[in-house]
Amino acid sequence: MHRHLHHGLSDLPGLSAFCHYGHPPHPGNRFGRLFPHLPPLYLHPESLSRLGRPGGPMDGGTSANRTHSVAVGYVFFGQFVDHDITLDVTSSLSSVADPAEVPNIRTPTLDLDCIYGLGPEASPFLYHAQGQFAGIKLLTGADGTAVSGQPPALAAEDLSRTSHGIALIGDPRNDENRIISQLQLAMHRFHNHVVEYLHNAQGLEGHELFEEARRLTTWHYQWVIVEDFLPRLCGKAVVDDILGNGRRYYRPEDHHQEPYIPVEFSVAAYRFGHSMIPQRIQVQQGEPLLELFGAKLGHGFEPLRHPEAVVDWHELVETPAGRHVQQAEKLDTKLAHDLLQLPFISDSERSLATRNLLRGQAFLLPSGEQVAHALNRPDDEIERVHDAAQNIAGSDVDFSRGTPLWFYILTEAETIGRETRPGTFEPGEGLGPVGARLVAEVLIGLLELDTRSYLSSNRNWRPVEDGVGVTTLGDMLTYHP
């Protein structure tokens, strides 16, 4: 859902690239392929448009169909994680993309560079410029904003902004909807609270204080990904298997390569969250549900204008407050109707589903069946998912050549579901075997291959040891020392 990536829908130039397969290795600052020798799937673009169009097979309408175990805040946290590790500003829906030639503007590590930018010296506009915590604390709207006409009470609940309303943050995409914008703000506040804790408890100051606060903030964030986010979305069984028996497929170290972002992950598997976004969302206790891109929450990339749009995280993720938390939509082949006609796109395809399908084809992704075979999934399981995908797509779309990887992963989640415990699957509650393996191996691998992460540098670290003690997403987004 990147507003800056608007592209037309002409037939894909460079179709000759589909006539061969086998792709060369890739440097760490690029995207790459997990299965470079699998052939790409080609389906006519019109059939992909029929699959993803408003009113089509993927239109979930406006009624709710909630999970029973995934709070809606985890979906937006997943979007935040994506923005921490990937940013493609060069590829197009209208031309074949070679991952080796597509630069990743973000670092392929879970290091919160979307929060810290290049640090206080190279990105000073993100930090306090004066006072006791100059160059240490991150700016929020409470520290001042240049937006005219925004009441101080609303500015205090918003990101710091320029006079044109542009958010002063490390990645502009974290302002593309109100929920992700408020999550970015919560992460600024988390860092700032960690700064206060370290200063008061340990007497740290200056550069030492910033570096220790950044380390602890980042490590807690990484812990939440491994111990809270991944088990909920991928299932504890696959996460435990990877941590106990190692990664089987995402192993760049075996080829003397740096960490990279596989397109099977970024263009297909990790787009699972689009299915879980609700049409309307509860952001405050006792208040009406709001349209995600409606008048109150706004269309993204704009200052906070309504007090009703301030997100109370106790409503979106489980916290010690013990509220009745709104659940995400089921992980299936349906998207909220509003996502099939994105309001901030006017000059190209507006359906997020169609954009995802076309992007997968532009990146020469193999079919879901090919990837499932490469992951050694059983034939009867693959046939079951294929048949379900064809049945959902209907007679207007022909999957006899194979199922687009993204749609296969959604169908797998709908028909098989999350392996919560070994042998226990819950349809619609999380990713199925292929999707879960791709997502969990890549995110865990990025941590294990980053010498600064807790999984790489101190595998015995526990949050309780440092006095901050955040262990869940709810703890992190509502933390106050």
Side-chain angles (χ1 to χ4, degrees), residues 111-303:
D111 60 358
L112 287 177
D113 63 336
C114 62
I115 290 288
Y116 294 108
L118 298 175
E121 294 185 0
S123 302
F125 55 89
L126 300 178
Y127 298 86
H128 285 214
Q130 300 177 355
Q132 181 181 17
F133 298 114
I136 301 172
K137 278 191 172 183
L138 291 158
L139 288 171
T140 71
D143 303 306
T145 181
V147 178
S148 61
Q150 187 182 37
L154 286 183
E157 299 293 341
D158 198 0
L159 296 164
S160 185
R161 297 179 180 272
T162 71
S163 59
H164 296 288
I166 305 299
L168 293 172
I169 54 179
D171 189 320
R173 296 172 298 170
N174 284 351
D175 193 33
E176 69 185 12
N177 65 67
R178 184 62 61 203
I179 313 304
I180 192 71
S181 172
Q182 290 276 289
L183 200 155
Q184 174 89 13
L185 175 63
M187 292 301 294
H188 282 219
R189 288 171 168 169
F190 178 49
H191 165 85
N192 290 346
H193 288 322
V194 172
V195 168
E196 293 170 4
Y197 166 76
L198 289 172
H199 175 72
N200 293 331
Q202 301 182 21
L204 298 181
E205 295 182 348
H207 180 72
E208 183 182 11
L209 174 57
F210 171 76
E211 290 298 333
E212 182 62 6
R214 178 171 185 167
R215 182 186 69 81
L216 281 185
T217 299
T218 303
W219 279 19
H220 283 88
Y221 160 71
Q222 293 169 351
W223 178 278
V224 165
I225 291 172
V226 174
E227 301 291 340
D228 188 17
F229 175 73
L230 286 180
R232 286 177 187 261
L233 276 306
C234 297
K236 193 172 186 299
V238 70
V239 174
D240 285 349
D241 179 63
I242 294 168
L243 293 174
N245 299 311
R247 291 170 279 119
R248 301 177 194 170
Y249 306 99
Y250 180 68
R251 297 186 58 83
E253 67 270 36
D254 288 351
H255 305 284
H256 307 290
Q257 295 172 354
E258 299 175 10
Y260 68 96
I261 303 298
V263 289
E264 297 92 339
F265 166 88
S266 63
V267 182
Y270 204 68
R271 295 181 181 237
F272 71 86
H274 294 163
S275 162
M276 305 183 80
I277 298 172
Q279 178 86 2
R280 297 187 300 160
I281 191 164
Q282 178 93 28
V283 298
Q284 292 182 11
Q285 188 175 28
E287 296 297 324
L289 278 72
L290 301 177
E291 295 284 339
L292 182 60
F293 295 111
K296 293 288 179 67
L297 291 180
H299 290 175
F301 302 100
E302 59 187 21

